[in-house]
Amino acid sequence: MYLKNLGENAVKAKYEVALLDSETKNKVLKTVAEYIVNEASYIISENQKDIDEGIKNNMNKGLIDRLTLNESRIKAMSEGVLEVIDLEDPVNRVLDTFERPNGMKLTKVSVPMGVIGIIYESRPNVTLDAFALTFKAGNAVILKGGSDAINSNIAITNTIKKALKACNINENIIQLIEKTDRETTSEFMKMNEYVDVLIPRGGAGLIKAVVNNSTIPVIETGTGNCHVYVDKEADLNMAVEIIYNAKTQRISVCNACESIVVHEDVRKELLPMLAKRLSEKNVELRGDSKTKEVIDCIDATEEDFGKEYLDYILSIKTVNSVEEAVAHINKYNTGHSDCIVTANEETAKYFLKGVDSACVYWNVSTRFTDGFEFGFGAEIGISTQKLHARGPMGLKELNSYKYIIVGNGQVRG
Amino acid sequence: MYLKNLGENAVKAKYEVALLDSETKNKVLKTVAEYIVNEASYIISENQKDIDEGIKNNMNKGLIDRLTLNESRIKAMSEGVLEVIDLEDPVNRVLDTFERPNGMKLTKVSVPMGVIGIIYESRPNVTLDAFALTFKAGNAVILKGGSDAINSNIAITNTIKKALKACNINENIIQLIEKTDRETTSEFMKMNEYVDVLIPRGGAGLIKAVVNNSTIPVIETGTGNCHVYVDKEADLNMAVEIIYNAKTQRISVCNACESIVVHEDVRKELLPMLAKRLSEKNVELRGDSKTKEVIDCIDATEEDFGKEYLDYILSIKTVNSVEEAVAHINKYNTGHSDCIVTANEETAKYFLKGVDSACVYWNVSTRFTDGFEFGFGAEIGISTQKLHARGPMGLKELNSYKYIIVGNGQVRG
């Protein structure tokens, strides 16, 4: 009954938000950004309850830090909302027009998804961020955050609702599921009647649970076992710098490099250079037998090649050809981001076509797979599936489309 | 083990088919079309086994007819394959290009989905049709047909495989699941490791079962509770002809009209004209109280408004405004196709924007929601969900995309 009520509210709200023009939506976003700053002390005091609970439950320091809101973080969150104002409204783009021999005219036009469900983990800033993006794209949203951040999420949602009310906008455009038990979450994932698409944001476990249990269409995001392949015709200095960047610039993210593939012809020159550079960050190397002939490192197991370490660890595989490299990468990657370093265009083209990933790079670090780095101005997640959106998803990816057909009485013969 | 083997075969095959150029694919399609005709007597004799089994099991005449293959139907199936040759190859279209301030160049390009699973019911021609379309779009396919048509499906699949072998192409580009028990089907729907997308083709029961049980991304197709709204400013003769066409031209299809919505201002003039015209086909009318004030008909219940009759039955709802019409349609439709008949552009625009369906029509029969009528030259189904594709799906909708990023050593700061 609780969820059914939320679902019905969301469906009513989706028709209203879909009809709002860009100016109105931007005014609302500005008001929300102001309210978030004005209500900072309320949000911080509610957030403190979550932190106290976390400390009581021996939550680790990193997680406590991710959970914590303070004046400057709230300011940054509010500025994030203001940035969404400047993004182009994705609704109502004409994607195609054509006319048929019977005279009927067809227009394919972008429309909001409708009701978007988002299931996420402990970072409470996602509450505001997800609202701003789904709203600008013309959708109603139902949020299900983690129990760790429940008080913070309620406070942020209440603040957004206050701002909506001040703008005379249906407050149910955003709804938070306040029950954090498993049964409620499980039931939420089967609300096909009310929710058009479900986006999980979080670790591999959360995403897998949503994919396995949801009957609502899901956009799978996240896990990245990204590779850099160093070809026999690579600029080795460039290869070292790309690997160093992709591995160490930020280890905890999905577009970080976890494994490299090295052509045997360059292993003797490349691997010592690379080992030296990566030792600056104490990266642990795990290599196959031909790697170990050149540098000192731990044995790489089958399991290593399939692993997203999210740590200062790198696995190394040697190959005889670009074909072998592509086959290895397609076997172990997660369809996220993979790179070739080479000076040979033909080799690069083979790799870019053959590797089955959302983003394939030639002489560029995999760390650029990101909505902001791609220039989308926003990112709701990085899709690793092939249905609907692939790679970084911005506002456009939070839209569907419809066909509008105009005629003068055409009937089918 | 059986399915795992099929999955592994399909994954190997998908990399091969993805790399085939248009010329090669078209040559293969031509060969397949020839083999199908050449092997007609084999296919017909295997089909006879299914028919005999159907008769033994008291299958109804309509279903026996849908199951039956003969020389002329096989010829038509073969010609269907030849038509796919003329369609534009959807793979490798450049969808977008852009450059970032750091100099990296991005290209968004269409690529095959990979492995497509199709679960369908008793019409064996789907086996050939689904192969031709998924193959032209660069995919490997795993088919799961109904047990009623298993011998026919095996014969058609064997014939396609023979043609593939003659062309020196991996035969596992098409695989049929020959086990027709529920457990196998259920297991198939959870093969996320091997299958990129699942498309059910068949009745509402089949589609619901796939949506509820699959963990693989599904494209929901099919059910259509389509409406025609007759506005107060409608050309009533046009309205009558559109409704007559949408209701009676073919009653068993998803784009047939099941319910009409009538503005009260025109009910007294429209309804008698309409009743007369529809009586030519003995259409049973079920109306609300204000309809019954004007014409003789059965009481429409709440259930009627939500029903896809697929029969010579039409429900009638009266309203006071276009707003009420849109709200009624959004409450009861299935997001397929809905039409407004009006001479007023403002009213039409409100309707076209407000109704949440794949296809919204102004003064045109809903019967045109179809891949061929839209000019796509093919149709794998009509999507009623919002993720990925909406409305008729042709070859382009059997593709995903990837981003290709080219640079000269860019790393992230």
Side-chain angles (χ1 to χ4, degrees), chain B residues 2-8 10 115-120 140-145 175-200 206 210 213-218:
Chain B
Y2 172 71
L3 282 179
K4 192 167 184 284
N5 189 34
L6 258 62
E8 285 171 355
V115 178
I116 296 181
I118 299 187
I119 300 185
Y120 56 109
V141 69
I142 299 178
L143 300 167
K144 165 66 189 67
Q175 292 182 102
L176 178 75
I177 298 176
E178 298 189 7
K179 293 188 180 181
T180 57
D181 59 292
R182 268 169 193 276
E183 291 67 35
T184 303
T185 309
S186 181
E187 203 189 318
F188 177 48
M189 292 191 271
K190 301 193 189 308
M191 288 175 67
N192 298 52
E193 201 183 330
Y194 306 104
V195 184
D196 294 289
V197 57
L198 204 55
I199 306 176
L206 171 77
V210 174
N213 294 302
S214 174
T215 54
I216 301 166
V218 172

Short mmCIF file of all heavy atoms in Angstrom, two decimals, chain B residues 2-8 10 115-120 140-145 175-200 206 210 213-218:
data_model
loop_
_atom_site.label_atom_id
_atom_site.label_comp_id
_atom_site.label_asym_id
_atom_site.label_seq_id
_atom_site.Cartn_x
_atom_site.Cartn_y
_atom_site.Cartn_z
N TYR B 2 23.86 -27.69 -21.69
CA TYR B 2 23.33 -27.53 -23.05
C TYR B 2 23.27 -26.05 -23.43
O TYR B 2 23.79 -25.62 -24.48
CB TYR B 2 21.95 -28.18 -23.12
CG TYR B 2 21.20 -27.92 -24.40
CD1 TYR B 2 21.61 -28.53 -25.59
CD2 TYR B 2 20.09 -27.08 -24.42
CE1 TYR B 2 20.91 -28.29 -26.77
CE2 TYR B 2 19.40 -26.85 -25.61
CZ TYR B 2 19.82 -27.45 -26.77
OH TYR B 2 19.14 -27.22 -27.94
N LEU B 3 22.68 -25.25 -22.55
CA LEU B 3 22.53 -23.83 -22.83
C LEU B 3 23.87 -23.09 -22.77
O LEU B 3 24.12 -22.17 -23.55
CB LEU B 3 21.54 -23.19 -21.86
CG LEU B 3 20.06 -23.44 -22.15
CD1 LEU B 3 19.21 -22.77 -21.08
CD2 LEU B 3 19.66 -22.93 -23.52
N LYS B 4 24.71 -23.49 -21.81
CA LYS B 4 26.02 -22.85 -21.65
C LYS B 4 26.82 -23.00 -22.95
O LYS B 4 27.47 -22.07 -23.42
CB LYS B 4 26.77 -23.52 -20.49
CG LYS B 4 28.01 -22.79 -20.04
CD LYS B 4 28.50 -23.34 -18.70
CE LYS B 4 29.70 -22.56 -18.19
NZ LYS B 4 30.95 -22.87 -18.88
N ASN B 5 26.72 -24.18 -23.53
CA ASN B 5 27.40 -24.46 -24.78
C ASN B 5 26.86 -23.57 -25.91
O ASN B 5 27.64 -22.97 -26.67
CB ASN B 5 27.19 -25.96 -25.11
CG ASN B 5 28.03 -26.39 -26.28
OD1 ASN B 5 29.13 -25.89 -26.48
ND2 ASN B 5 27.50 -27.31 -27.08
N LEU B 6 25.55 -23.46 -25.98
CA LEU B 6 24.94 -22.56 -26.97
C LEU B 6 25.41 -21.11 -26.75
O LEU B 6 25.72 -20.39 -27.70
CB LEU B 6 23.41 -22.60 -26.84
CG LEU B 6 22.63 -23.41 -27.88
CD1 LEU B 6 23.00 -24.88 -27.81
CD2 LEU B 6 21.12 -23.27 -27.67
N GLY B 7 25.45 -20.72 -25.49
CA GLY B 7 25.88 -19.35 -25.16
C GLY B 7 27.31 -19.10 -25.59
O GLY B 7 27.62 -18.07 -26.20
N GLU B 8 28.19 -20.04 -25.29
CA GLU B 8 29.60 -19.88 -25.68
C GLU B 8 29.76 -19.83 -27.20
O GLU B 8 30.52 -19.02 -27.73
CB GLU B 8 30.45 -21.00 -25.07
CG GLU B 8 30.67 -20.77 -23.58
CD GLU B 8 31.31 -21.97 -22.87
OE1 GLU B 8 31.50 -23.01 -23.53
OE2 GLU B 8 31.59 -21.84 -21.66
N ALA B 10 27.53 -18.79 -29.28
CA ALA B 10 26.95 -17.52 -29.76
C ALA B 10 27.94 -16.38 -29.56
O ALA B 10 28.07 -15.50 -30.43
CB ALA B 10 25.64 -17.23 -29.04
N VAL B 115 24.65 -10.68 -29.05
CA VAL B 115 23.80 -11.88 -29.11
C VAL B 115 22.38 -11.47 -28.74
O VAL B 115 22.14 -10.92 -27.67
CB VAL B 115 24.30 -12.97 -28.13
CG1 VAL B 115 23.37 -14.19 -28.18
CG2 VAL B 115 25.73 -13.38 -28.46
N ILE B 116 21.45 -11.72 -29.67
CA ILE B 116 20.04 -11.42 -29.41
C ILE B 116 19.30 -12.73 -29.18
O ILE B 116 19.48 -13.69 -29.93
CB ILE B 116 19.43 -10.64 -30.60
CG1 ILE B 116 20.14 -9.29 -30.75
CG2 ILE B 116 17.92 -10.46 -30.42
CD1 ILE B 116 19.59 -8.41 -31.87
N GLY B 117 18.52 -12.78 -28.13
CA GLY B 117 17.65 -13.93 -27.88
C GLY B 117 16.23 -13.59 -28.30
O GLY B 117 15.77 -12.48 -28.03
N ILE B 118 15.56 -14.51 -28.97
CA ILE B 118 14.17 -14.27 -29.35
C ILE B 118 13.33 -15.46 -28.90
O ILE B 118 13.65 -16.61 -29.19
CB ILE B 118 14.04 -14.04 -30.87
CG1 ILE B 118 14.86 -12.79 -31.25
CG2 ILE B 118 12.57 -13.88 -31.28
CD1 ILE B 118 14.71 -12.32 -32.66
N ILE B 119 12.30 -15.16 -28.13
CA ILE B 119 11.38 -16.18 -27.65
C ILE B 119 10.04 -15.94 -28.33
O ILE B 119 9.50 -14.84 -28.25
CB ILE B 119 11.23 -16.12 -26.11
CG1 ILE B 119 12.59 -16.35 -25.44
CG2 ILE B 119 10.21 -17.15 -25.63
CD1 ILE B 119 12.54 -16.41 -23.93
N TYR B 120 9.54 -16.94 -29.05
CA TYR B 120 8.33 -16.72 -29.86
C TYR B 120 7.42 -17.93 -29.82
O TYR B 120 7.77 -18.99 -29.32
CB TYR B 120 8.71 -16.33 -31.29
CG TYR B 120 9.61 -17.31 -32.01
CD1 TYR B 120 9.13 -18.10 -33.05
CD2 TYR B 120 10.94 -17.44 -31.63
CE1 TYR B 120 9.96 -19.00 -33.71
CE2 TYR B 120 11.77 -18.33 -32.28
CZ TYR B 120 11.28 -19.11 -33.32
OH TYR B 120 12.12 -20.00 -33.95
N ALA B 140 24.52 -12.23 -33.67
CA ALA B 140 24.24 -13.66 -33.56
C ALA B 140 22.89 -13.78 -32.86
O ALA B 140 22.51 -12.92 -32.08
CB ALA B 140 25.33 -14.35 -32.76
N VAL B 141 22.16 -14.88 -33.15
CA VAL B 141 20.83 -15.01 -32.56
C VAL B 141 20.66 -16.40 -31.95
O VAL B 141 21.17 -17.39 -32.48
CB VAL B 141 19.72 -14.71 -33.61
CG1 VAL B 141 19.64 -15.79 -34.69
CG2 VAL B 141 18.36 -14.54 -32.96
N ILE B 142 20.00 -16.43 -30.80
CA ILE B 142 19.57 -17.70 -30.21
C ILE B 142 18.05 -17.67 -30.17
O ILE B 142 17.46 -16.76 -29.59
CB ILE B 142 20.13 -17.90 -28.78
CG1 ILE B 142 21.66 -17.92 -28.80
CG2 ILE B 142 19.62 -19.22 -28.19
CD1 ILE B 142 22.30 -18.07 -27.41
N LEU B 143 17.43 -18.65 -30.84
CA LEU B 143 15.98 -18.67 -30.97
C LEU B 143 15.37 -19.72 -30.04
O LEU B 143 15.90 -20.82 -29.87
CB LEU B 143 15.59 -19.01 -32.41
CG LEU B 143 16.09 -18.03 -33.48
CD1 LEU B 143 15.91 -18.64 -34.87
CD2 LEU B 143 15.33 -16.72 -33.38
N LYS B 144 14.25 -19.35 -29.45
CA LYS B 144 13.48 -20.31 -28.66
C LYS B 144 12.03 -20.22 -29.16
O LYS B 144 11.30 -19.30 -28.82
CB LYS B 144 13.59 -19.94 -27.18
CG LYS B 144 12.58 -20.59 -26.25
CD LYS B 144 12.79 -22.09 -26.16
CE LYS B 144 11.64 -22.74 -25.41
NZ LYS B 144 10.36 -22.67 -26.13
N GLY B 145 11.66 -21.18 -30.04
CA GLY B 145 10.30 -21.20 -30.57
C GLY B 145 9.40 -22.06 -29.71
O GLY B 145 9.83 -22.65 -28.72
N GLN B 175 21.32 -20.22 -33.70
CA GLN B 175 21.16 -21.44 -32.91
C GLN B 175 19.72 -21.50 -32.41
O GLN B 175 19.15 -20.49 -32.01
CB GLN B 175 22.13 -21.46 -31.74
CG GLN B 175 23.58 -21.58 -32.16
CD GLN B 175 24.52 -21.65 -30.97
OE1 GLN B 175 25.00 -22.69 -30.58
NE2 GLN B 175 24.77 -20.50 -30.37
N LEU B 176 19.17 -22.69 -32.45
CA LEU B 176 17.80 -22.91 -31.97
C LEU B 176 17.89 -23.75 -30.70
O LEU B 176 18.60 -24.76 -30.67
CB LEU B 176 17.00 -23.65 -33.05
CG LEU B 176 15.56 -24.01 -32.69
CD1 LEU B 176 14.65 -22.78 -32.75
CD2 LEU B 176 15.02 -25.09 -33.63
N ILE B 177 17.15 -23.35 -29.68
CA ILE B 177 17.06 -24.18 -28.47
C ILE B 177 16.06 -25.28 -28.77
O ILE B 177 14.88 -25.03 -28.95
CB ILE B 177 16.63 -23.33 -27.26
CG1 ILE B 177 17.68 -22.25 -27.01
CG2 ILE B 177 16.44 -24.21 -26.03
CD1 ILE B 177 17.31 -21.28 -25.90
N GLU B 178 16.56 -26.51 -28.85
CA GLU B 178 15.68 -27.61 -29.27
C GLU B 178 14.91 -28.22 -28.10
O GLU B 178 13.97 -28.97 -28.30
CB GLU B 178 16.49 -28.67 -30.02
CG GLU B 178 17.12 -28.09 -31.29
CD GLU B 178 17.76 -29.14 -32.19
OE1 GLU B 178 17.61 -30.35 -31.90
OE2 GLU B 178 18.41 -28.75 -33.19
N LYS B 179 15.34 -27.90 -26.89
CA LYS B 179 14.59 -28.36 -25.72
C LYS B 179 13.44 -27.38 -25.46
O LYS B 179 13.69 -26.18 -25.32
CB LYS B 179 15.49 -28.40 -24.49
CG LYS B 179 16.58 -29.44 -24.57
CD LYS B 179 17.30 -29.54 -23.23
CE LYS B 179 18.42 -30.57 -23.28
NZ LYS B 179 19.11 -30.69 -21.99
N THR B 180 12.23 -27.86 -25.38
CA THR B 180 11.11 -26.93 -25.27
C THR B 180 10.45 -26.94 -23.89
O THR B 180 9.38 -26.36 -23.70
CB THR B 180 10.04 -27.24 -26.35
OG1 THR B 180 9.64 -28.59 -26.19
CG2 THR B 180 10.59 -27.02 -27.75
N ASP B 181 11.11 -27.55 -22.91
CA ASP B 181 10.53 -27.57 -21.56
C ASP B 181 10.70 -26.20 -20.88
O ASP B 181 11.54 -25.39 -21.25
CB ASP B 181 11.21 -28.65 -20.72
CG ASP B 181 12.71 -28.44 -20.63
OD1 ASP B 181 13.40 -28.58 -21.68
OD2 ASP B 181 13.20 -28.10 -19.55
N ARG B 182 9.86 -25.97 -19.88
CA ARG B 182 9.84 -24.70 -19.15
C ARG B 182 11.16 -24.38 -18.45
O ARG B 182 11.58 -23.23 -18.41
CB ARG B 182 8.77 -24.74 -18.07
CG ARG B 182 7.42 -24.22 -18.54
CD ARG B 182 6.33 -24.52 -17.54
NE ARG B 182 5.04 -24.29 -18.15
CZ ARG B 182 4.45 -23.10 -18.24
NH1 ARG B 182 5.01 -22.03 -17.71
NH2 ARG B 182 3.28 -22.95 -18.84
N GLU B 183 11.80 -25.41 -17.89
CA GLU B 183 13.04 -25.17 -17.13
C GLU B 183 14.11 -24.58 -18.05
O GLU B 183 14.83 -23.67 -17.67
CB GLU B 183 13.56 -26.49 -16.51
CG GLU B 183 12.70 -27.05 -15.38
CD GLU B 183 11.33 -27.52 -15.86
OE1 GLU B 183 11.23 -28.02 -17.00
OE2 GLU B 183 10.33 -27.35 -15.11
N THR B 184 14.21 -25.14 -19.25
CA THR B 184 15.22 -24.64 -20.19
C THR B 184 14.94 -23.19 -20.55
O THR B 184 15.84 -22.34 -20.57
CB THR B 184 15.24 -25.52 -21.46
OG1 THR B 184 15.48 -26.87 -21.07
CG2 THR B 184 16.33 -25.09 -22.42
N THR B 185 13.67 -22.89 -20.82
CA THR B 185 13.31 -21.52 -21.17
C THR B 185 13.63 -20.57 -20.03
O THR B 185 14.18 -19.48 -20.22
CB THR B 185 11.80 -21.43 -21.50
OG1 THR B 185 11.49 -22.46 -22.44
CG2 THR B 185 11.44 -20.09 -22.09
N SER B 186 13.30 -21.02 -18.84
CA SER B 186 13.54 -20.20 -17.66
C SER B 186 15.03 -19.94 -17.46
O SER B 186 15.45 -18.81 -17.15
CB SER B 186 12.93 -20.95 -16.46
OG SER B 186 13.11 -20.22 -15.31
N GLU B 187 15.84 -20.97 -17.69
CA GLU B 187 17.28 -20.83 -17.56
C GLU B 187 17.84 -19.88 -18.64
O GLU B 187 18.72 -19.07 -18.39
CB GLU B 187 17.91 -22.22 -17.69
CG GLU B 187 19.27 -22.39 -17.07
CD GLU B 187 19.88 -23.74 -17.45
OE1 GLU B 187 19.14 -24.77 -17.46
OE2 GLU B 187 21.07 -23.77 -17.77
N PHE B 188 17.28 -20.03 -19.84
CA PHE B 188 17.71 -19.19 -20.97
C PHE B 188 17.54 -17.71 -20.64
O PHE B 188 18.39 -16.88 -20.98
CB PHE B 188 16.88 -19.57 -22.20
CG PHE B 188 17.15 -18.74 -23.43
CD1 PHE B 188 18.45 -18.50 -23.87
CD2 PHE B 188 16.11 -18.20 -24.18
CE1 PHE B 188 18.70 -17.75 -25.02
CE2 PHE B 188 16.35 -17.44 -25.32
CZ PHE B 188 17.64 -17.22 -25.73
N MET B 189 16.45 -17.38 -19.93
CA MET B 189 16.16 -15.98 -19.63
C MET B 189 17.10 -15.38 -18.58
O MET B 189 16.98 -14.20 -18.25
CB MET B 189 14.71 -15.84 -19.18
CG MET B 189 13.72 -16.12 -20.30
SD MET B 189 12.05 -15.64 -19.87
CE MET B 189 11.43 -17.13 -19.10
N LYS B 190 18.01 -16.19 -18.07
CA LYS B 190 18.94 -15.68 -17.06
C LYS B 190 20.40 -15.77 -17.55
O LYS B 190 21.33 -15.66 -16.76
CB LYS B 190 18.75 -16.44 -15.75
CG LYS B 190 17.31 -16.30 -15.21
CD LYS B 190 17.16 -16.76 -13.79
CE LYS B 190 15.70 -16.82 -13.35
NZ LYS B 190 14.93 -15.56 -13.60
N MET B 191 20.58 -15.94 -18.86
CA MET B 191 21.93 -16.10 -19.42
C MET B 191 22.58 -14.76 -19.73
O MET B 191 23.09 -14.53 -20.84
CB MET B 191 21.88 -16.99 -20.66
CG MET B 191 21.61 -18.45 -20.32
SD MET B 191 21.42 -19.46 -21.80
CE MET B 191 23.08 -19.39 -22.49
N ASN B 192 22.61 -13.87 -18.73
CA ASN B 192 23.17 -12.53 -18.94
C ASN B 192 24.60 -12.54 -19.43
O ASN B 192 25.04 -11.61 -20.10
CB ASN B 192 23.13 -11.72 -17.63
CG ASN B 192 21.73 -11.52 -17.12
OD1 ASN B 192 20.99 -12.48 -16.97
ND2 ASN B 192 21.35 -10.28 -16.87
N GLU B 193 25.32 -13.59 -19.08
CA GLU B 193 26.73 -13.65 -19.45
C GLU B 193 26.90 -13.76 -20.97
O GLU B 193 27.93 -13.36 -21.52
CB GLU B 193 27.34 -14.87 -18.75
CG GLU B 193 28.85 -14.83 -18.61
CD GLU B 193 29.36 -16.12 -17.97
OE1 GLU B 193 28.61 -16.73 -17.16
OE2 GLU B 193 30.48 -16.51 -18.29
N TYR B 194 25.89 -14.31 -21.63
CA TYR B 194 26.03 -14.60 -23.06
C TYR B 194 25.09 -13.79 -23.96
O TYR B 194 25.39 -13.57 -25.12
CB TYR B 194 25.76 -16.09 -23.32
CG TYR B 194 26.60 -17.01 -22.48
CD1 TYR B 194 26.07 -17.69 -21.38
CD2 TYR B 194 27.95 -17.19 -22.78
CE1 TYR B 194 26.85 -18.53 -20.61
CE2 TYR B 194 28.75 -18.03 -22.01
CZ TYR B 194 28.19 -18.69 -20.93
OH TYR B 194 28.97 -19.51 -20.17
N VAL B 195 23.93 -13.43 -23.42
CA VAL B 195 22.90 -12.81 -24.26
C VAL B 195 22.76 -11.33 -23.90
O VAL B 195 22.63 -10.98 -22.73
CB VAL B 195 21.54 -13.54 -24.09
CG1 VAL B 195 20.49 -12.96 -25.04
CG2 VAL B 195 21.70 -15.04 -24.34
N ASP B 196 22.81 -10.46 -24.92
CA ASP B 196 22.78 -9.02 -24.66
C ASP B 196 21.37 -8.47 -24.53
O ASP B 196 21.14 -7.50 -23.82
CB ASP B 196 23.52 -8.29 -25.78
CG ASP B 196 25.00 -8.61 -25.78
OD1 ASP B 196 25.68 -8.15 -24.85
OD2 ASP B 196 25.46 -9.34 -26.67
N VAL B 197 20.43 -9.03 -25.27
CA VAL B 197 19.05 -8.53 -25.22
C VAL B 197 18.09 -9.64 -25.61
O VAL B 197 18.42 -10.51 -26.42
CB VAL B 197 18.89 -7.28 -26.11
CG1 VAL B 197 19.29 -7.56 -27.54
CG2 VAL B 197 17.45 -6.76 -26.10
N LEU B 198 16.93 -9.62 -25.00
CA LEU B 198 15.92 -10.66 -25.23
C LEU B 198 14.67 -9.97 -25.78
O LEU B 198 14.19 -8.99 -25.22
CB LEU B 198 15.62 -11.34 -23.90
CG LEU B 198 15.06 -12.75 -23.90
CD1 LEU B 198 15.95 -13.70 -24.68
CD2 LEU B 198 14.95 -13.25 -22.46
N ILE B 199 14.15 -10.51 -26.89
CA ILE B 199 12.93 -9.95 -27.47
C ILE B 199 11.86 -11.04 -27.53
O ILE B 199 12.02 -12.01 -28.26
CB ILE B 199 13.19 -9.39 -28.89
CG1 ILE B 199 14.35 -8.38 -28.87
CG2 ILE B 199 11.92 -8.75 -29.46
CD1 ILE B 199 14.74 -7.86 -30.25
N PRO B 200 10.79 -10.90 -26.75
CA PRO B 200 9.69 -11.85 -26.85
C PRO B 200 8.75 -11.44 -27.98
O PRO B 200 8.48 -10.26 -28.16
CB PRO B 200 9.00 -11.72 -25.49
CG PRO B 200 9.30 -10.33 -25.03
CD PRO B 200 10.58 -9.89 -25.70
N LEU B 206 2.91 -14.63 -22.98
CA LEU B 206 4.33 -14.90 -23.23
C LEU B 206 5.18 -13.69 -22.84
O LEU B 206 6.20 -13.81 -22.17
CB LEU B 206 4.55 -15.21 -24.72
CG LEU B 206 6.02 -15.29 -25.15
CD1 LEU B 206 6.65 -16.60 -24.74
CD2 LEU B 206 6.17 -15.09 -26.65
N VAL B 210 8.13 -13.33 -19.91
CA VAL B 210 9.51 -12.96 -20.17
C VAL B 210 9.91 -11.73 -19.34
O VAL B 210 10.97 -11.71 -18.70
CB VAL B 210 9.75 -12.70 -21.68
CG1 VAL B 210 11.16 -12.18 -21.93
CG2 VAL B 210 9.51 -13.98 -22.48
N ASN B 213 10.41 -12.80 -15.69
CA ASN B 213 11.41 -13.81 -15.34
C ASN B 213 12.81 -13.56 -15.87
O ASN B 213 13.77 -14.13 -15.37
CB ASN B 213 10.93 -15.19 -15.81
CG ASN B 213 9.70 -15.62 -15.04
OD1 ASN B 213 9.73 -15.72 -13.81
ND2 ASN B 213 8.60 -15.84 -15.74
N SER B 214 12.94 -12.70 -16.87
CA SER B 214 14.25 -12.50 -17.47
C SER B 214 15.11 -11.57 -16.63
O SER B 214 14.64 -10.56 -16.12
CB SER B 214 14.10 -11.91 -18.87
OG SER B 214 15.37 -11.59 -19.39
N THR B 215 16.38 -11.91 -16.51
CA THR B 215 17.34 -10.97 -15.92
C THR B 215 18.13 -10.28 -17.02
O THR B 215 18.82 -9.29 -16.78
CB THR B 215 18.29 -11.68 -14.94
OG1 THR B 215 18.92 -12.77 -15.62
CG2 THR B 215 17.55 -12.22 -13.73
N ILE B 216 18.03 -10.81 -18.24
CA ILE B 216 18.62 -10.17 -19.42
C ILE B 216 17.73 -8.97 -19.78
O ILE B 216 16.51 -9.04 -19.64
CB ILE B 216 18.61 -11.16 -20.61
CG1 ILE B 216 19.41 -12.41 -20.27
CG2 ILE B 216 19.13 -10.51 -21.90
CD1 ILE B 216 19.18 -13.57 -21.24
N PRO B 217 18.33 -7.85 -20.27
CA PRO B 217 17.48 -6.74 -20.71
C PRO B 217 16.48 -7.19 -21.76
O PRO B 217 16.84 -7.88 -22.72
CB PRO B 217 18.49 -5.74 -21.30
CG PRO B 217 19.77 -6.04 -20.59
CD PRO B 217 19.76 -7.51 -20.35
N VAL B 218 15.22 -6.82 -21.57
CA VAL B 218 14.13 -7.25 -22.45
C VAL B 218 13.57 -6.03 -23.20
O VAL B 218 13.49 -4.95 -22.65
CB VAL B 218 12.98 -7.87 -21.62
CG1 VAL B 218 11.75 -8.14 -22.47
CG2 VAL B 218 13.44 -9.15 -20.94
#
